[in-house]
Each structure stands twice: as C-alpha cells, then as structure tokens.
Amino acid sequence: MDVGVLTVVLGDEPLDEALEYLSGLGVGTVELGCGGFVGDDHLDRKAYLDDEAAQRELLELVDDHDLSISALSTHNNPLHPDDERAKRATTEIRETIRLADQLGVDTVNTFSGLPAGGPSGEVPNWVTAPWPPEHAEALEYQWEEVAIPTWTALAEHAAEHGIDIGIEMHPNMLVYEPTGMMRLREATNKHVGANFDPSHLYWQGIDVAEAIRFLGEQDAIHHVHAKDTKVYESNARVKGVLDTEPYTAEPDRSWLFRSIGYGHGEAHWKDIVSTLRMVGYEGALSIEHEDSLTSGREGLEKAVDVLSRAVFETQPGDTYWA
C-alpha cells in the first residue's frame, strides 16, 4: 500500500517540480487531474490522448522520480440536465478512460453526477428524503431514466478498455453513500466501484471502517482518497451537519475538511489501513488536500507524516502462532 497524492493542490507548479517535491516527501504514487472540477494543470487530456511520444515522456518523467500513477481524475457531472454540459462531462470521462488505457493506468476517478428532478428541470436536484411523494418520484426518475442508462454505456466503455471507474461518493451527487454505490455497480458492471473518500462519509455519520468492509467484501473499492473531516459539535448541535456556510467561514461551520490526523487521530488511520488490508485493498492512499486552515504543502507534509506510520511496507508473514 502506497502513500500517494492528488497533485491538484500543486497545480500552480510545473509537473516536474511537483514530482520532485513529492518524491522527496517519500510519496509513492500520484493521481493526475485531466479535466472536470479538478482541472488539467498537470495532464492536458487532449494533448496526450493518442500521442505516444508525449505519453512516453510523461511516464519517463514520473518514473525518473521513482513514482507511479495511481489514477487519472476527471470529476464532473455526466448526468447534468443541461445536455451540453452532460455531453461534455461524458466525453471527458470517455476520453480519460482511453488515455488511462494508453498510459497503462488502471483507474479513472470521477463523480456519479446528478440529474434534475424531472425531464423539464434545469438544475441538478439532490433528493435526500422520500416525502413529500414527488421527491421519491424524482429519485426514481434520476436513477432509472438518467443514471443507469448513462452509466451502463460508460461502464461498457470502461470494460472495453480494461479500466476501473472509481466513483467518489459525494453529497450533492446521486451516489453519496455505500448502498447507492452498490446500486449503481449492480445496475452496470464490476468496472464501476468506489474511489473511497472517507471525508464525505464522516460528516454524514457513516462508520468508515464498516463502509470499507461493506464495499470491500464485494470487491467494490477501486481507489482510495486519504482525506479527513472534523465535525465541530458546538455548531452541529445547533444546526446539524447539512451546512451551507462557505468553506471559508470556518468558525461558523458544522464541519470542515481537515488534513490527515486533524479530524481523526493516528490510531484511527491505522485502523483504516488495517481494514483496507482485511478486504484485500493494496492500492494507493491518495492524499487530497482541502484543509482551509493550513497551506497545501504543510497539509501534505503532515498527512504524509501520519500515513507513513500507518501503512504497511511488507506483506503478511506466516501465522506461525496459529
């Protein structure tokens, strides 16, 4: 299991400088954004797609820093009610799958997307309750008429290229928790699984270790983001955790994304690593820095420090005592 980094946080630096810095921290893998919300500062998808010389140069650069690429990311909304936006997002995902295949990278990370509540809607609608009845009807429309047809085609495209799609379970997207993740996987194919990011699960009150077991026992974890969240009970006790305050209004929010170790302690992250190993996951723990209380570099360095003590560097030996 390798400590990795989603390099978006270093997007204002040239890729070679970012890789040199990360290699110096002892990082083993990088996750490169190539479209959507994460941007393409370090991997211009269109420039590299079908260009063998450019791809070879990229892979040599990564290898020169003793790194590997854990995944490509293009987080977007392929279910958007605006047809042009949905088409653009779907194209980004399909092209990223092709590029991953050409680069020898086995995972593409994205969001499930979110439709409107009906055919005439213009704004994505996150349905969180079955009542009043029109909400349940909207949810059925979102799944059966929009999500499953779109994702069936994307899953088939991924299967053709031998690529796994890691869906980040994210509120304000159709798939935001593990049972929804499994609903999408069961409706499509096994190339659709989770980019398991615990930060979005913590504030929903989900037990992260149990979620790992639930998905891992069905071989539905394709990639893992290492990102923490802290719930601030003094605010949450008054207004709950559905919080629309800006992320920059830190004192007023019920929860904040935090660097690894600042939401949950080192013992918790050791439990996360152990549970991932129990369910057979041996891939990257890709740090995603979104802590507004510290700088990107400091956040990364503190996260690497904690995770470097949590991950196992060897495979299990014989249980000679059993």
Side-chain angles (χ1 to χ4, degrees), residues 58-101:
L58 171 66
L59 294 173
E60 288 174 355
L61 177 64
V62 173
D63 186 63
D64 285 345
H65 291 285
D66 295 320
L67 297 165
S68 63
I69 302 173
S70 68
L72 304 185
S73 289
T74 176
H75 291 63
N76 51 30
N77 185 356
L79 310 181
H80 200 286
D82 182 297
D83 289 341
E84 285 302 313
R85 294 178 68 172
K87 181 179 179 181
R88 183 167 64 247
T90 301
T91 298
E92 287 176 349
I93 295 171
R94 294 178 74 90
E95 289 181 349
T96 302
I97 287 169
R98 287 181 52 220
L99 180 57
D101 185 11

Side-chain angles (χ1 to χ4, degrees), residues 143 169 174-185 214:
W143 275 99
M169 297 173 286
L174 189 63
V175 171
Y176 59 92
E177 46 77 32
T179 65
M181 179 69 258
M182 288 308 304
R183 179 176 178 178
L184 186 64
R185 178 180 172 89
F214 174 78

Side-chain angles (χ1 to χ4, degrees), residues 96-301:
T96 302
I97 287 169
R98 287 181 52 220
L99 180 57
D101 185 11
Q102 293 172 8
L103 288 171
V105 176
D106 59 13
T107 306
V108 167
N109 293 329
T110 189
F111 291 135
S112 64
L114 184 66
S120 61
E122 296 181 355
V123 178
N125 188 342
W126 187 37
V127 180
T128 59
W131 189 91
E134 56 265 32
H135 290 263
E137 294 168 3
L139 193 61
E140 186 71 7
Y141 161 80
Q142 290 179 322
W143 275 99
E144 298 299 329
E145 296 189 38
V146 184
I148 290 176
T150 298
W151 275 105
T152 295
L154 286 170
E156 290 172 352
H157 181 66
E160 290 170 3
H161 289 273
I163 301 298
D164 289 332
I165 300 175
I167 300 291
E168 187 169 336
M169 297 173 286
H170 195 296
N172 290 308
M173 293 291 165
L174 189 63
V175 171
Y176 59 92
E177 46 77 32
T179 65
M181 179 69 258
M182 288 308 304
R183 179 176 178 178
L184 186 64
R185 178 180 172 89
E186 289 165 1
T188 54
N189 65 34
K190 293 185 177 181
H191 287 271
V192 174
N195 173 36
F196 191 94
D197 186 330
S199 68
H200 308 294
L201 306 183
Y202 288 127
W203 68 262
Q204 294 182 72
I206 294 171
D207 186 301
V208 167
E210 289 298 320
I212 291 171
R213 287 180 182 272
F214 174 78
L215 292 171
E217 287 169 357
Q218 301 173 82
D219 196 28
I221 299 176
H222 292 329
H223 193 262
V224 174
H225 269 179
K227 182 176 161 192
D228 214 337
T229 293
K230 171 72 174 178
V231 175
Y232 293 91
E233 296 291 348
S234 58
N235 289 332
R237 282 194 295 267
V238 174
K239 61 177 180 177
V241 295
L242 295 176
D243 197 335
T244 58
E245 290 287 343
Y247 286 117
T248 52
E250 293 93 348
D252 302 322
R253 284 191 54 82
S254 296
W255 56 269
L256 291 172
F257 295 131
R258 299 305 316 274
S259 300
I260 299 296
Y262 282 80
H264 298 78
E266 186 172 319
H268 172 83
W269 283 96
K270 288 178 176 178
D271 188 37
I272 295 299
V273 167
S274 298
T275 307
L276 285 168
R277 172 160 282 190
M278 287 179 193
V279 300
Y281 180 82
E282 292 291 346
L285 297 176
S286 187
I287 298 165
E288 182 182 18
H289 173 82
E290 291 185 351
D291 188 336
S292 61
L293 297 180
T294 187
S295 66
R297 285 200 170 214
E298 183 177 24
L300 288 179
E301 290 165 14

Side-chain angles (χ1 to χ4, degrees), residues 301-315:
E301 290 165 14
K302 290 184 181 299
V304 170
D305 178 55
V306 173
L307 290 178
S308 65
R309 293 193 297 275
V311 297
F312 297 107
E313 297 180 357
T314 62
Q315 292 298 311

